[in-house]
Amino acid sequence: METKATILHADLGRTVTVRVRFADMHSITRSVTLDAPISATAILAEIAEELVRVALADHPDERTVSLLAISLSHLERHWKLQLELPLGLEDEKRRPGSRRGMARWTADRAIDVIRDRFGWDAVGYGSVALGLSRSVPDEFRELAEKDL
């Protein structure tokens, strides 16, 4: 039996930037550069959400957003991830080497593997998949019952 070894790697980024454009075409940007690079979707989303909240708080009179863009820059390629001691730091849950950060990174990699094998539509958000009907689509049921 032949086995394949897979080396996990990720492109991580240190700077998260959000751009918010309002209905009058006025745009603002907010960004943060992190001490440790990140790649986990959930961590990126949390940071971007905070940046957008700050941007909107700075412009309380604006009611309509016509564009929201999120980018990750200062990219690095890491082949290994340094684990961190749980020191109770404020940003610990977002640090890639923390227990939570590793769990989020592992979940992203698992989704990538599933999508590589079964296609992009094999994994998605439950709220989108269930829609208004709140029932599981036949395609997902067939996939769940399929012998892998």
Side-chain angles (χ1 to χ4, degrees), residues 63-74:
R63 297 282 179 216
T64 305
V65 173
S66 64
L67 171 79
L68 177 60
I70 302 168
S71 66
L72 186 63
S73 58
H74 293 106

Side-chain angles (χ1 to χ4, degrees), residues 4-11 77-81 105 109 113 116:
K4 261 194 312 192
T6 303
I7 299 174
L8 293 177
H9 67 278
D11 289 323
R77 178 154 283 205
H78 286 262
W79 292 94
K80 294 181 181 175
L81 187 61
W105 184 84
R109 299 297 72 78
V113 169
D116 284 346

Side-chain angles (χ1 to χ4, degrees), residues 59-147:
H59 295 83
D61 296 335
E62 297 290 347
R63 297 282 179 216
T64 305
V65 173
S66 64
L67 171 79
L68 177 60
I70 302 168
S71 66
L72 186 63
S73 58
H74 293 106
L75 299 178
E76 303 174 10
R77 178 154 283 205
H78 286 262
W79 292 94
K80 294 181 181 175
L81 187 61
Q82 179 65 45
L83 299 178
E84 299 180 23
L85 293 173
L87 300 175
L89 301 174
E90 185 177 325
D91 68 340
E92 191 169 290
K93 67 180 181 178
R94 293 193 179 144
R95 300 186 66 80
S98 69
R99 178 178 286 181
R100 187 172 185 183
M102 286 296 296
R104 289 174 162 189
W105 184 84
T106 303
D108 276 356
R109 299 297 72 78
I111 289 172
D112 291 343
V113 169
I114 292 167
R115 285 181 169 157
D116 284 346
R117 183 170 178 186
F118 299 106
W120 183 260
D121 294 331
V123 177
Y125 291 101
S127 59
V128 173
L130 296 177
L132 296 175
S133 67
R134 296 289 186 215
S135 64
V136 177
D138 290 337
E139 297 86 24
F140 286 108
R141 187 174 291 106
E142 290 169 10
L143 182 60
E145 293 170 353
K146 187 174 183 180
D147 238 353

Side-chain angles (χ1 to χ4, degrees), residues 2-53:
E2 184 180 323
T3 61
K4 261 194 312 192
T6 303
I7 299 174
L8 293 177
H9 67 278
D11 289 323
L12 297 97
R14 288 186 182 272
T15 302
V16 180
T17 304
V18 297
R19 180 180 178 101
V20 180
R21 184 172 65 201
F22 300 107
D24 64 357
M25 302 305 280
H26 172 249
S27 295
I28 56 172
T29 59
R30 297 291 183 267
S31 66
V32 63
T33 299
L34 308 167
D35 293 334
I38 62 166
S39 70
T41 304
I43 296 172
L44 176 62
E46 287 174 359
I47 293 170
E49 180 181 356
E50 281 184 17
L51 290 171
V52 169
R53 288 183 190 279

